[in-house]
Amino acid sequence: MKHLFIILSLIVYTLAGCTSISRSPLQLENEHLLAVFDASNGSLVKLVNKKSNWNIIYRGQLGQSFDMLVPLEWKRFHYVRGVDQSPPEIEATAGKITFTWNSLKSKLLDKPLNIKFIGEVTLTPDGLTYSGKVINNDTHVVEYVGWPYWGEMAVPDKAQRFFCESINQRKELHPNFQNEQGYWGADYPTQSVTLPESAFLLMRNDNEGITGVSEQTVPQELVVASHELIPGWEYDNPTSDVMDGQLVRIQFKVNRLIFTPPEESRELVPFNLSLYEGTWHKGVDVYKGWKREAIKQPDIIDLMKEPHTWRCVNISNAQELVRLAQESKTQGISVLHVNGWRAADTEDNMQSVDGLVSAIKKCQQLGVKIVLDLHINAADKNSPWYNSELKNYVITNLYGMTTDIRMLCPHTQGLISITENKYAKNTVMSAADGIIINDNNNNGGTFFCFDPNHGHGIPAFIQTGTYNLDRLFAAGVKKANPGTAVLGFGFLDAQTAIYDGYRMGNGFLRQEKHRYVNTQTPIISVIEDRTAREDLNLCLKDKYTICYNFSLLGREPDKYPLIVKYGREIESLRKKYKDFIWDGKFLDTQGARVEGAHLSYSVFQAADGRKGLVIVNNGTDNASTAKVTVEGSNRSLTVASPEKPEGVVYNGSVSIEPLSAIVVMENQN
């Protein structure tokens, strides 16, 4: 950390309650940023990126510190505002300021609440880390605390679009702001991103931005990062600084849903906000760097080391599985993702269709691998097992109701025991090459469980239980057979620590940040019938495993001869140039430049440092000419394609047919 310093009027402030005493501003500053706090209320009144001159917060009167939701018996939406409190106690050391607000005041109550909030802000080389603690000695529950809370986030360049992104999403904040919350219960147009499931928060234009990371190696705290456009004005942001007597701004807040009951306290998970300059890659690199240090990744399992083509199938009996394997083998499909393999449960256990273990072995003898789809915390509500036991584990919400009667609470000892002793030791799953866990992805809004009969704290964060349950299951499966692959559906990025890869649907396929974050993690992507050519090209470009899920003309692969033929050609190309486009490090568009109409591309770096590119012509009508420049290299280049895998010399440009792809690779010279 270079030239890290803090400018303070005093080392320790203990002036709580002395509102008549003038306080000098508090500053955290280094070579990258300047942050100024109002000592009288702890609000952040100025924030500047010194490298780019982005005045992120520049109107001091908009400064905010924190807010807190503390429901009352007669008013649920009861907010406690940090700026309404008596001056906080302040302790400052080199690079860190700690604010302590005691006996929080509310405009709706005659006396203070017996709640203490300790908020810590730590200077990092590139930003600020917010942590803290809520100590609740009152009779009310503290449901969430907003920390950090910025009264404005100025757009760095109004000539550019400004986005809020995550690993799954891209939302525009400027010049258009789309309200997500409807009209009821929302004062202003609002957008939000939930963490840790969305991995990170990125607020950016094309030249700079801010990365938000909730430092959770295991999910502990539901974080809802929100932006509000004030005053309420949907779609087109106001162009003036003042409208109808209000200062126009985008307000930013990180809400931590901590549900702290009376006589308890909660530590807040550190939330890091880092400034960066450059493309979005620089912002995502902040998260990648944290993840690399905090979350160890497993070695790639044998099933996923080589390029394979997958197919989703549904079966009703074991003989059907063998038939589908035979059918798939002739089409170059070597892995089946199997649904429908479970028969009706008994009163206390799961059952498979008869003869499934034998059928799996026959498929494996054919050279077709079997991956079984498994729901651990979603139950069949019509089964005897559900009526005899599983219904007791259903998630209930704040009001004691169920929003999805299939969804089971992963914190219950009953479901934990079932997972460890029945699912993980199931003989059918032990026979399979892999299991893919279809998690509860917040179905029915089941973020928390409030059931008092489950033996967990009230409430329990479902993502914590889901992660721990999946880890328990994976460990049990690996203990019995280390070669069995355990995969997921990309619900939580932290699950890459326990999974051997994950499958994602077509909606995620176009979000390249999945592959950029998880450069080597096996990712399976579903091919949709209507956009099959585009999806196959994207699988090639972003190194996704192809998985067919045919339905438009029927489920048989031979009804889609052109799609399957192109898929086989892509798999052959991947095997031929494996060092580049399968085993190589994915750089997205970094390290090379491609010029031409309707083109997208990605760059891979082989182990020996040479680069290879996959270039796609996304146009539907005309061929496009691509000109390729590999940064810092004068090596000659070779060109190949799925249809023409034998390499030819690149002579300064190459023509790519519509909806087609090529590979361009550096030679050894």
Side-chain angles (χ1 to χ4, degrees), residues 538-556:
L538 279 165
C539 282
L540 177 60
K541 183 177 77 72
D542 289 349
K543 203 178 76 171
Y544 298 143
T545 294
I546 295 168
C547 182
Y548 297 121
N549 190 18
F550 297 123
S551 62
L552 183 63
L553 303 176
R555 303 194 68 86
E556 299 82 3

Side-chain angles (χ1 to χ4, degrees), residues 506-562:
N506 197 32
F508 289 155
L509 186 63
R510 290 167 174 81
Q511 181 55 276
E512 67 281 354
K513 294 177 181 63
H514 267 273
R515 173 52 74 207
Y516 186 70
V517 167
N518 297 304
T519 304
Q520 300 302 123
T521 300
I523 303 177
I524 306 106
S525 186
V526 175
I527 305 300
E528 299 295 336
D529 306 354
R530 295 170 178 81
T531 58
R533 184 82 179 190
E534 295 94 325
D535 292 352
L536 287 167
N537 284 334
L538 279 165
C539 282
L540 177 60
K541 183 177 77 72
D542 289 349
K543 203 178 76 171
Y544 298 143
T545 294
I546 295 168
C547 182
Y548 297 121
N549 190 18
F550 297 123
S551 62
L552 183 63
L553 303 176
R555 303 194 68 86
E556 299 82 3
D558 59 9
K559 293 183 178 179
Y560 308 84
L562 296 180

